[in-house]
Amino acid sequence: MVSMFLNTLTPKFYVALTGTSSLISGLILIFEWWYFRKYGTSFIEQVSVSHLRPLLGGVDNNSSNNSNSSNGDSDSNRQSVSECKVWRNPLNLFRGAEYNRYTWVTGREPLTYYDMNLSAQDHQTFFTCDSDHLRPADAIMQKAWRERNPQARISAAHEALEINEIRSRVEVPLIASSTIWEIKLLPKCATAYILLAEEEATTIAEAEKLFKQALKAGDGCYRRSQQLQHHGSQYEAQHRRDTNVLVYIKRRLAMCARRLGRTREAVKMMRDLMKEFPLLSMFNIHENLLEALLELQAYADVQAVLAKYDDISLPKSATICYTAALLKARAVSDKFSPEAASRRGLSTAEMNAVEAIHRAVEFNPHVPKYLLEMKSLILPPEHILKRGDSEAIAYAFFHLAHWKRVEGALNLLHCTWEGTFRMIPYPLEKGHLFYPYPICTETADRELLPSFHEVSVYPKKELPFFILFTAGLCSFTAMLALLTHQFPELMGVFAKAMIDMFCSAELRDWNCQSIFMHLEDDLELPPAPQSPHFQN
């Protein structure tokens, strides 16, 4: 009957069949693509996960993630903000002791001209004022910060220090024929010591010695300007400059202590600095404090710092978001198992940890690839772009060891971070817990990061399997329809041959099964006799 039916089919039937199947698959592809562009997921995949998976005994844990989003970030952070504002890296390295050593070893420049130009602008803003012309050393340093050549800057810093060694002679007659000279030194130039510590010192220990000398000079200038700050706008600007210089020196001294392994001393210095100057939040000293406390494994102190700075009204950073995720993951990561979680569902603590990871990944989606070592790290730049690849490098460079120290934390991150992109509303410009992701981060990161580094682009949602499958099916059926239209008789013969082969294979399998069933019936042995004579 099958062969008779196939013999009655004409080539027009195969043309109509392939054309119809190509049209249907094309319509399905268009609908799937429209649904994906609007909602960010495949319709077939969503139906299978939402309706078929519960019938098969699966558990959908992602539905509850969207309901618990009442932490206030979505309301407060949906403001008109500067999308591509560049920030000073709180954990930036030392040029002479770290960046230059990398250049000597590898021959590569870890800093871009754009990044160093931003640093020069920061130095001119923080370390200079309008009254610098009154002090010759400060006037020289004002020009030094604008120099592009590193050797010229270092030479200017030495010149500023030499000017301050002018000796004032005071004659004290002790004997009629002789005099004694009292040597009086003018105050040292603190900013000159800063430049030498940053760029000329080849080790952290040398940089620390220079910063200690800068601290003595900077503290004296700060105390003098503090007494005169209310005498006019000029003195007020000078006091503001001296305050910035003193805070910078103390912060870098704390970072030197952290680099040299004196972590507890560094923590104490950072805490004292934050108490002494609580309003200077532009340096983000709390991020240095968080990193040092994680090194000490003082997780209770880390939580206390996060409670103060992870506030709705304060700007977020990768350090804040990912440290909060690390603390919540630490409570469940040692016993977390994806297989067990899929069977019994997520507990409350596991749900909180997953939500914290999703929150962190939405803020900066580039960090997990560095933490999971899916992408190689480089030296962090001196400036970072929040939510960009530069911030991800700066965070992972110092915090990867802290994630590795917590057992199972990276495993939990690996199992859950990609689920963030199924939660974020689509299009991606809407955002979920934070303001929309800036579209200019890639351009800014290419300016901040060196050319030998492959800039990480925002991990856009990948096409679901069913869209790819439908696209392949549509292309295949369209090709068949075209071949059938051009060569109807040949394709008809080919189709009949394929159907005959399929039917013969099915018939062969059925015959083999029936033969084996008959053999089993024929070879079935009779029951053994019950007589004791035949037992052996």
Side-chain angles (χ1 to χ4, degrees), residues 38-162:
K38 186 174 182 180
Y39 300 103
T41 185
S42 168
F43 175 77
I44 301 175
E45 183 178 359
Q46 185 181 16
V47 170
S48 61
V49 170
S50 302
H51 301 285
L52 300 180
R53 187 179 177 185
L55 296 177
L56 299 176
V59 180
D60 187 13
N61 296 319
N62 294 328
S63 60
S64 60
N65 292 337
N66 295 326
S67 60
N68 191 12
S69 59
S70 59
N71 57 359
D73 290 338
S74 58
D75 296 329
S76 62
N77 290 320
R78 296 177 186 272
Q79 301 173 358
S80 177
V81 296
S82 178
E83 288 188 345
C84 289
K85 180 181 178 181
V86 178
W87 299 72
R88 183 79 177 178
N89 183 9
L91 299 170
N92 64 312
L93 305 178
F94 296 84
R95 283 194 187 179
E98 292 171 315
Y99 287 119
N100 287 348
R101 294 173 69 89
Y102 177 83
T103 304
W104 298 339
V105 174
T106 63
R108 294 177 172 180
E109 290 290 341
L111 299 177
T112 62
Y113 173 75
Y114 175 69
D115 192 14
M116 292 188 289
N117 186 41
L118 291 176
S119 298
Q121 296 177 11
D122 293 339
H123 295 153
Q124 295 176 46
T125 302
F126 293 141
F127 301 152
T128 61
C129 65
D130 296 335
S131 63
D132 284 344
H133 64 279
L134 301 176
R135 295 190 289 189
D138 290 335
I140 294 176
M141 290 305 301
Q142 192 173 28
K143 297 179 181 179
W145 297 120
R146 300 173 184 172
E147 287 286 347
R148 296 184 179 180
N149 188 0
Q151 293 301 324
R153 289 196 298 269
I154 294 174
S155 300
H158 283 293
E159 182 182 354
L161 291 177
E162 291 174 359

Side-chain angles (χ1 to χ4, degrees), residues 365-418:
H366 310 288
V367 175
K369 287 190 176 181
Y370 293 106
L371 292 180
L372 298 173
E373 298 182 82
M374 301 168 62
K375 193 173 182 182
S376 59
L377 276 172
I378 62 172
L379 293 184
E382 292 184 343
H383 289 80
I384 59 174
L385 183 66
K386 287 193 173 183
R387 310 187 73 178
D389 190 28
S390 53
E391 185 192 31
I393 293 172
Y395 172 80
F397 187 85
F398 292 97
H399 289 262
L400 176 59
H402 306 320
W403 279 82
K404 287 185 175 181
R405 189 178 296 117
V406 178
E407 182 182 358
L410 291 176
N411 179 39
L412 180 60
L413 177 67
H414 176 71
C415 296
T416 57
W417 75 278
E418 291 182 345

Side-chain angles (χ1 to χ4, degrees), residues 131-403:
S131 63
D132 284 344
H133 64 279
L134 301 176
R135 295 190 289 189
D138 290 335
I140 294 176
M141 290 305 301
Q142 192 173 28
K143 297 179 181 179
W145 297 120
R146 300 173 184 172
E147 287 286 347
R148 296 184 179 180
N149 188 0
Q151 293 301 324
R153 289 196 298 269
I154 294 174
S155 300
H158 283 293
E159 182 182 354
L161 291 177
E162 291 174 359
I163 286 180
N164 276 21
E165 293 182 357
I166 299 175
R167 300 177 179 180
S168 61
R169 298 181 302 175
V170 179
E171 293 185 2
V172 182
L174 295 179
I175 306 176
S177 61
S178 65
T179 57
I180 188 171
W181 302 93
E182 180 185 354
I183 299 176
K184 185 178 180 181
L185 299 180
L186 296 178
K188 295 288 186 179
C189 183
T191 53
Y193 281 119
I194 290 177
L195 192 147
L196 295 177
E198 290 285 352
E199 301 193 24
E200 188 182 40
T202 56
T203 62
I204 301 296
E206 293 178 9
E208 186 180 29
K209 291 179 181 179
L210 291 171
F211 273 122
K212 287 181 178 179
Q213 292 178 291
L215 179 61
K216 294 179 181 179
D219 189 59
C221 294
Y222 171 76
R223 295 184 186 279
R224 282 191 296 271
S225 63
Q226 189 178 23
Q227 298 174 357
L228 302 174
Q229 61 177 323
H230 302 296
H231 292 187
S233 59
Q234 180 178 352
Y235 293 100
E236 185 178 355
Q238 187 174 349
H239 175 66
R240 188 183 308 112
R241 189 273 309 273
D242 293 337
T243 303
N244 292 335
V245 170
L246 184 63
V247 172
Y248 185 88
I249 293 171
K250 290 187 175 181
R251 171 176 168 268
R252 295 302 264 179
L253 276 173
M255 295 179 67
C256 287
R258 170 69 184 90
R259 296 283 203 286
L260 296 174
R262 305 195 307 269
T263 310
R264 295 188 182 277
E265 179 184 347
V267 168
K268 184 180 183 304
M269 296 172 67
M270 293 173 191
R271 289 186 184 276
D272 294 341
L273 186 58
M274 294 169 64
K275 290 179 181 178
E276 188 177 359
F277 302 97
L279 300 179
L280 290 181
S281 59
M282 57 186 172
F283 291 104
N284 293 325
I285 307 173
H286 61 276
E287 297 195 11
N288 299 87
L289 179 60
L290 285 173
E291 195 277 329
L293 290 174
L294 286 174
E295 177 65 23
L296 295 175
Q297 302 185 31
Y299 297 110
D301 294 336
V302 173
Q303 184 62 51
V305 176
L306 285 178
K308 183 178 180 181
Y309 289 96
D310 193 5
D311 189 74
I312 296 175
S313 59
L314 296 178
K316 299 294 182 295
S317 65
T319 303
I320 295 292
C321 295
Y322 278 90
T323 303
L326 175 61
L327 292 186
K328 292 186 178 180
R330 176 176 169 267
V332 298
S333 59
D334 56 338
K335 300 179 181 178
F336 179 78
S337 173
E339 295 79 10
S342 62
R343 290 194 305 268
R344 57 173 171 78
L346 294 175
S347 62
T348 303
E350 291 174 342
M351 185 69 68
N352 293 333
V354 171
E355 289 177 356
I357 291 176
H358 287 174
R359 173 176 178 261
V361 173
E362 182 183 348
F363 182 83
N364 194 318
H366 310 288
V367 175
K369 287 190 176 181
Y370 293 106
L371 292 180
L372 298 173
E373 298 182 82
M374 301 168 62
K375 193 173 182 182
S376 59
L377 276 172
I378 62 172
L379 293 184
E382 292 184 343
H383 289 80
I384 59 174
L385 183 66
K386 287 193 173 183
R387 310 187 73 178
D389 190 28
S390 53
E391 185 192 31
I393 293 172
Y395 172 80
F397 187 85
F398 292 97
H399 289 262
L400 176 59
H402 306 320
W403 279 82

